[in-house]
Amino acid sequence: MGSAPEVAAESGVVRGRRFGGVDLWRTVPYAAPPVGPRRFRAPQPVPPWTGVLDATRFGYAAHSHRLSSPLGLLKRQVQHEDCLTLNVCAPADRSGPSRPVLVFIHGGGYFEGTSALPVHDPRALVAKFGVVLVTINYRLGGLGFVDFSRYAADFESNLGLRDQVAALQWVRRNIAAFGGDPGNVTLWGQSAGGSAVLTHLMLPASRGLFHRAIAQSPVPDAVRTPEQAAATARRCVEALGADADTAAATLRDAPATAITAAAIRVMLAAAREVPCQMSLAPVIDGDFLPEDPTTAITEGRAERVPLLIGSMRNELGHAGWGPVRQFIDIVPTTAARVDRMFAATDPAARAQVLAHYPDYPSRAALTRLAGDCFFVRPMVAVAEGHARHAPTYLYRLDYAPFLLRLIGMGAIHATDVPLVFGSEIPAVQLLTLGERGRYRSMSDSVQQRWIEFVRTGTPGWPSYSDDGAALVIDGPHPHVVPGLHRSMWAAWRDYAGPQRGQSFPAAHQEGQ
């Protein structure tokens, strides 16, 4: 570590830390703490400070469950409502032209996660490619993705999304001071973060704040209708022991941990009733989020920026693995859950979908079905729609570390994150025992293509509009496959989707 770099941002001077050839500023506030009367309100401007703000350590993670914010085996990031902060990593040498900017939105189903996870360490990627990388926190779960606005005039909807917009606005105003180019910003996210990226494509408030988009393993249809959002809010209020008359006072006064825990209980119960349904998610409120993102994208009402989008080959390989599938009961990895999902959403689609899986109901078929339903189906819908209006590049990441191949999980959800960041945290070292060199080659191959997209708007393979082309990344030298998802899409395209289930059957004991 060298000198402590200081930068004058709009609210005051921030002091970071130098690590070799990169500088890192942690926990820089992009909005005022959403505490007290600002709970359930849109993010407010940061009050200016005097002196120099120490941005050398991580502050708070957003509230979630206790395992949501690990910083190591025995260390965790403290959770607090004062979480509207971001981290900036930039080359130490900021002479010369401004650098391309990436803004990363972490995943976690809109209810867990933090930008401080070791797997999100930006230093390796910044040192290798000379970009500026911003990672952000935003409100989660009951404090960010439940619409309580019906209970008080000053409560607002879509708070987590509003936080993300505020972070993008901060980047637009401040990133030049860190060496970044505000006219070349790529919005990048994984899982729920990828879903958020696609939502920002059509958010009026996000217009002009970014110029390219990367969505890794998104669930694009994870948005709630007003009726669904009202039901979720009502259940959360009841879980807190309140009713419509006492909801506002309860929500203002309850500990953040209580609201968070209530929302997670409601979320898990709803997903058991309708497998794959995400009840903690943005709501189509007719104002901030005016319509369904996939519809807006398909009909040309979204930002027409280049889009890089894709999934893992075995997204839910962990949820369908051995005895695990009996415990992870919120995705359709058993025949009983598949039947329950279709019964609650779109019974007429069941036969056509199941015909696509000739080995159904084998464990392998159920695992493929679950991943296709939750991730691949809505992702292809977005790729189809966006490709009508803007350059769209599809991929599937088939590479799995040695240990995951050995135990039969394969290329599961979130294993793409360390590949792109270039992380070699202990978990990655364990998973890649005996093939560290191959893993590094894979990481370099993926990084090169992602950064080429960030710099030029194309990752170096044909667009999806060229016969449904997709890049299959199964080794350091991936290959293009035309029509990769064509048969899957034909089977699923008429299905309404698990997010649109309107019936809520009573919880029951599953027979298998």
Side-chain angles (χ1 to χ4, degrees), residues 273-295:
E273 294 165 359
V274 184
C276 277
Q277 189 164 106
M278 291 175 62
S279 54
L280 306 183
V283 55
I284 303 168
D285 57 11
D287 177 23
F288 189 80
L289 178 53
E291 62 178 319
D292 174 73
T294 302
T295 300

Side-chain angles (χ1 to χ4, degrees), residues 74-94:
L74 300 175
K75 185 179 180 182
R76 60 183 290 270
Q77 189 180 17
V78 176
Q79 299 172 7
H80 194 279
E81 288 182 87
D82 180 7
C83 64
L84 301 188
T85 60
L86 51 77
N87 316 295
V88 182
C89 190
D93 180 4
R94 289 183 285 282

Side-chain angles (χ1 to χ4, degrees), residues 217 310-315 396-397 399 411-416:
S217 299
S311 61
M312 306 299 296
R313 181 184 179 94
N314 312 104
E315 286 281 7
R396 188 182 73 193
L397 213 165
Y399 168 75
I412 62 172
H413 190 64
T415 51
D416 52 338

Side-chain angles (χ1 to χ4, degrees), residues 387-452:
R388 298 178 186 178
H389 311 287
T392 303
Y393 302 93
L394 189 68
Y395 72 89
R396 188 182 73 193
L397 213 165
D398 287 17
Y399 168 75
F402 168 72
L403 187 57
L404 293 181
R405 297 198 308 271
L406 180 68
I407 65 177
M409 284 190 185
I412 62 172
H413 190 64
T415 51
D416 52 338
V417 178
L419 277 172
V420 184
F421 273 92
S423 306
E424 294 206 13
I425 58 175
V428 169
Q429 294 176 12
L430 175 64
L431 291 173
T432 59
L433 280 175
E435 60 167 27
R436 196 70 47 76
R438 183 167 187 260
Y439 179 83
R440 288 172 177 159
S441 295
M442 279 300 309
S443 177
D444 181 70
S445 176
V446 173
Q447 288 177 327
Q448 296 283 355
R449 287 168 171 81
W450 264 231
I451 297 300
E452 182 178 349

Side-chain angles (χ1 to χ4, degrees), residues 27-84:
T27 314
V28 179
Y30 65 81
V35 299
R38 290 192 289 266
R39 179 187 278 184
F40 302 122
R41 299 294 305 277
Q44 302 298 308
V46 179
W49 59 83
T50 57
V52 177
L53 180 70
D54 181 10
T56 61
R57 298 178 178 84
F58 287 122
Y60 298 119
H63 274 289
S64 183
H65 57 82
R66 288 187 57 81
L67 300 180
S68 170
S69 51
L71 298 181
L73 186 61
L74 300 175
K75 185 179 180 182
R76 60 183 290 270
Q77 189 180 17
V78 176
Q79 299 172 7
H80 194 279
E81 288 182 87
D82 180 7
C83 64
L84 301 188

Side-chain angles (χ1 to χ4, degrees), residues 291-372:
E291 62 178 319
D292 174 73
T294 302
T295 300
I297 290 168
T298 300
E299 297 183 1
R301 291 190 292 276
E303 289 276 63
R304 300 184 179 190
V305 301
L307 171 64
L308 174 60
I309 185 171
S311 61
M312 306 299 296
R313 181 184 179 94
N314 312 104
E315 286 281 7
L316 290 173
H318 56 299
W321 181 74
V324 174
R325 71 178 181 145
Q326 300 301 329
F327 298 103
I328 300 180
D329 58 356
I330 59 176
V331 290
T333 49
T334 67
R337 293 181 206 137
V338 170
D339 290 344
R340 188 158 76 247
M341 180 184 74
F342 281 113
T345 56
D346 190 358
R350 180 181 182 277
Q352 177 174 301
V353 168
L354 295 190
H356 178 65
Y357 305 92
D359 52 338
Y360 182 86
S362 71
R363 182 190 66 81
L366 283 159
T367 303
R368 293 198 309 275
L369 182 152
D372 288 346

Side-chain angles (χ1 to χ4, degrees), residues 34 39-40 61-69 76 79-83 108-113 138-146 148 232 235-237 239-240 250-251 253-269 279-280:
R39 179 187 278 184
F40 302 122
H63 274 289
S64 183
H65 57 82
R66 288 187 57 81
L67 300 180
S68 170
S69 51
R76 60 183 290 270
Q79 299 172 7
H80 194 279
E81 288 182 87
D82 180 7
C83 64
Y110 293 127
F111 74 94
E112 64 179 351
Y138 53 97
R139 281 173 282 186
L140 301 171
L143 296 168
F145 288 95
V146 179
F148 291 119
T232 298
R235 288 179 168 197
C236 289
V237 166
L240 289 166
T250 298
L251 290 166
D253 297 338
T257 52
I259 297 171
T260 298
I264 290 175
R265 291 197 302 272
V266 168
M267 174 197 72
L268 293 173
S279 54
L280 306 183

